């Protein structure tokens, strides 16, 4: 395999094609609603979508500090795959077989729900979510990673789950194939959902950062919002609002996209997304127009990241592209991570819910989280899972201990960089 190249000044934005939404005014004065949702990303908008399915009469308002898809939902790499929390062999040890199996089956169902949502939205004229339903490969390039995948394959077999080891993975030491997966344009999906909600009467206020939240009251620079129920779908911005949800650390991830590849290169890569089993190692996928999108590599903890460090991360990715191609787009995205790799979907007070810490699984998880929150807000009692909790474990991301975490992330990136590509 030969490396790609990062030449000139690629566009510092993803190659996604969001819908042009009509502008929405910021909050001014006093606003009231039945349900207020903070965050016009996929989780917040999916919550509104499922709430209207349950009760079309609800008066819902959605606020965002920027605009729909302005955060992680518009800056991801578009992988829609199963898996949640620790690897399946560790999940068996931690939760037991029944819960580990139920969690994996739930994550496969999230993929199907997200695919169904994309197809529903694509029925509208002019909407193209770039959906491609294909499997995912998790691959190992070293003996150690291959041993990890062997343990996972054994766990999937014992739990009677449809994840299989490939007998002769081309170019890898080992590989697992996940048949329930897809890729799509995350910004197109999110903005199409925002447009659909507007047609159904959901009010939206852009450029309305929330300064304080609690007790059904949201304070914004230009006014306040009071609602009977509130959902804070702010993911890695939980610390900014000082929410009592444990540590949901904001991490800055990097990605690049190439020019459209030749037909031969596309055929060689195949339609399935490829994810390296080593932490922080690259993963890649093709877009419908033939671009190769690659993410992974060095991770930064805001606000300490600098332009030079971003450039080094993009260079790191470009050198590991599996084909020779020119990089045309490069970008970063902020995501929320927790210390145990499980999200937080729970209450901050009697009338307020929080959702975040998707740990890189946000595209598939968002649709399911929206359904869970809508059920809880309308009086149902959904089946609880390990991530339906009010707090994540504490992580020392500030001060001297934070310096140690940053050093650990550099070590992981260095280890991933030493693998053969």
């Amino acid at each position: 395999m030969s490396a790609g190249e990062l030449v000139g000044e690629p566009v510092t934005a993803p190659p996604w094609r969001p819908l042009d939404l009509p502008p929405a005014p910021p909050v001014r004065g006093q606003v009231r609603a039945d349900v207020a949702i903070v965050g016009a990303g996929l989780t917040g908008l999916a919550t509104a979508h499922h709430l209207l399915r349950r009760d079309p009469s609800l008066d819902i308002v959605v606020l965002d500090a920027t605009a729909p898809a302005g955060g992680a939902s518009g800056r991801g790499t578009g992988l829609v795959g199963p898996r949640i929390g620790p690897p399946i062999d560790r999940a068996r040890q931690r939760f037991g077989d029944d819960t580990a199996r139920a969690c994996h089956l739930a994550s496969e169902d999230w993929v199907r729900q997200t695919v169904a949502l994309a197809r529903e939205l694509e029925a509208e004229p002019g909407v193209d979510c770039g959906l491609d339903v294909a499997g995912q490969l998790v691959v190992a390039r070293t003996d150690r990673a291959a041993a990890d995948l062997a343990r996972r394959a054994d766990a999937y077999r014992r739990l009677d789950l449809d994840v299989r080891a490939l007998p002769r993975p081309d170019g890898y030491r080992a590989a697992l194939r996940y048949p329930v997966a897809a890729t799509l344009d995350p910004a197109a999906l999110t903005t199409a959902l925002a447009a659909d909600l507007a047609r159904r009467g959901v009010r939206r206020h852009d450029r309305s950062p929330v300064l304080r939240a609690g007790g059904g009251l949201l304070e914004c620079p230009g006014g306040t919002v009071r609602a009977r129920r509130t959902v804070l779908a702010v993911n890695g911005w939980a610390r900014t609002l000082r929410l009592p949800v444990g540590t949901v650390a904001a991490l800055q991830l990097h990605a690049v996209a190439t020019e459209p590849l030749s037909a031969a290169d596309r055929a060689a890569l195949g339609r399935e997304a490829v994810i390296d089993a080593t932490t922080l190692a690259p993963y890649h996928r093709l877009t419908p127009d033939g671009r190769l999108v690659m993410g992974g590599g060095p991770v930064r903890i805001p606000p300490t990241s600098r332009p030079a460090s971003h450039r080094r991360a993009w260079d790191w990715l470009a050198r590991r592209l599996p084909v020779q191609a020119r990089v045309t787009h490069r970008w970063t995205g902020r995501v929320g991570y927790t210390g145990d790799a499980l999200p937080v979907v729970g209450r901050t007070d009697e009338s307020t819910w929080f959702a975040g810490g998707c740990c890189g699984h946000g595209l598939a998880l968002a649709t399911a989280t929206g359904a869970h929150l809508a059920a809880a807000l309308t009086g149902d009692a959904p089946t609880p899972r390990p991530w339906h909790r009010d707090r994540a474990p504490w992580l020392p991301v500030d001060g001297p201990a934070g310096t140690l975490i940053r050093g650990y992330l550099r070590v992981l990136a260095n280890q991933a960089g030493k693998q053969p590509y």
Side-chain angles (χ1 to χ4, degrees):
M1 295 183 182
S2 56
E5 56 179 335
L6 186 60
V7 296
E9 288 299 322
V11 175
T12 309
W16 312 132
R17 294 176 291 181
L19 294 185
D20 289 327
L21 298 174
V27 170
R28 291 285 183 262
Q30 296 182 354
V31 177
R32 289 185 174 273
D34 294 325
V35 181
I37 298 172
V38 181
L42 195 52
T43 298
L45 297 176
T47 302
H49 171 82
H50 287 288
L51 278 170
L52 288 182
R53 281 190 166 181
R54 287 176 164 271
D55 186 351
S57 70
L58 284 173
D59 179 21
I60 302 172
V61 62
V62 177
L63 319 180
D64 198 272
T66 55
S73 294
R75 304 186 70 81
T77 48
L79 274 66
V80 186
R83 301 183 301 285
I84 185 70
I88 192 70
D89 53 323
R90 297 182 203 165
R92 290 182 69 205
Q93 296 172 357
R94 180 174 174 184
F95 305 122
D97 284 3
D98 289 346
T99 298
R101 187 174 190 276
C103 289
H104 181 81
L105 290 175
S107 74
E108 289 186 335
D109 191 48
W110 306 340
V111 175
R112 297 185 185 97
Q113 290 180 45
T114 305
V115 168
L117 176 61
R119 286 175 171 158
E120 177 184 336
L121 294 171
E122 286 183 331
E124 286 292 323
V127 175
D128 181 2
C129 296
L131 178 65
D132 186 16
V133 180
Q136 278 186 2
L137 298 180
V138 175
V139 302
R141 302 175 191 270
T142 66
D143 290 340
R144 180 176 179 178
D148 288 341
L149 289 193
R151 286 190 291 272
R152 296 181 202 177
D154 180 66
Y156 285 121
R157 181 183 59 81
R158 291 177 181 275
L159 296 177
D160 193 27
L161 294 169
D162 187 19
V163 179
R164 299 288 182 264
L166 299 185
R168 295 179 180 177
D170 184 22
Y172 307 112
R173 302 289 181 89
L176 292 179
R177 182 175 186 273
Y178 293 78
V180 181
T183 59
L184 51 72
D185 179 331
L189 177 71
T190 305
T191 52
L193 184 54
D196 179 72
L197 291 172
R199 288 191 292 269
R200 295 161 64 190
V202 172
R203 293 177 287 154
R204 198 180 83 240
H205 292 285
D206 297 343
R207 306 181 308 282
S208 299
V210 173
L211 306 177
R212 280 175 293 278
L217 181 67
L218 304 170
E219 297 182 31
C220 302
T224 60
V225 178
R226 185 172 290 281
R228 293 190 296 109
R229 296 286 186 270
T230 302
V231 174
L232 304 174
V234 295
N235 202 16
W237 296 96
R239 297 179 69 218
T240 303
L241 290 175
R242 297 177 179 172
L243 300 177
V245 295
T247 303
V248 179
L251 299 183
Q252 200 91 29
L253 308 184
H254 298 80
V256 297
T258 71
E259 63 192 342
L261 304 180
S262 68
D265 281 341
R266 296 186 207 182
L269 290 169
R271 291 172 51 209
E272 294 183 318
V274 176
I275 303 168
D276 202 291
T278 302
T279 304
L280 300 190
Y283 54 89
H284 63 261
R285 56 155 293 205
L286 285 175
T287 63
D289 62 352
R291 298 178 186 273
L292 180 64
V293 174
M294 176 177 272
V299 172
R300 312 298 180 198
I301 301 179
T304 58
S305 55
R306 298 287 185 269
S309 68
H310 293 318
R311 177 75 191 210
R312 287 192 294 271
W314 289 321
D315 286 343
W316 191 98
L317 288 168
R319 289 194 300 271
R320 289 162 176 81
L321 288 170
V323 294
Q324 187 71 39
R326 187 173 65 90
V327 171
T328 57
H329 296 73
R330 60 187 185 183
W331 69 99
T332 65
R334 182 179 291 196
V335 297
Y337 272 79
T338 65
D340 58 1
L342 289 170
V344 178
V345 181
R347 292 178 184 265
T348 63
D349 61 41
E350 191 60 31
S351 62
T352 307
W353 287 77
F354 169 80
C358 296
C359 301
H361 296 282
L363 269 180
L365 180 59
T367 310
T369 297
H372 174 85
L373 290 173
L377 290 166
T378 53
D380 280 1
T383 302
R385 298 297 181 206
W387 53 90
H388 295 153
R389 55 186 183 164
D390 297 337
R391 298 180 68 87
W394 175 76
L395 271 178
V397 294
D398 296 316
T403 302
L404 292 176
I405 289 182
R406 290 176 173 85
Y408 174 65
L409 291 173
R410 286 193 294 270
V411 168
L412 289 178
N414 185 53
Q415 291 175 345
K418 291 179 178 178
Q419 293 192 74
Y421 288 94

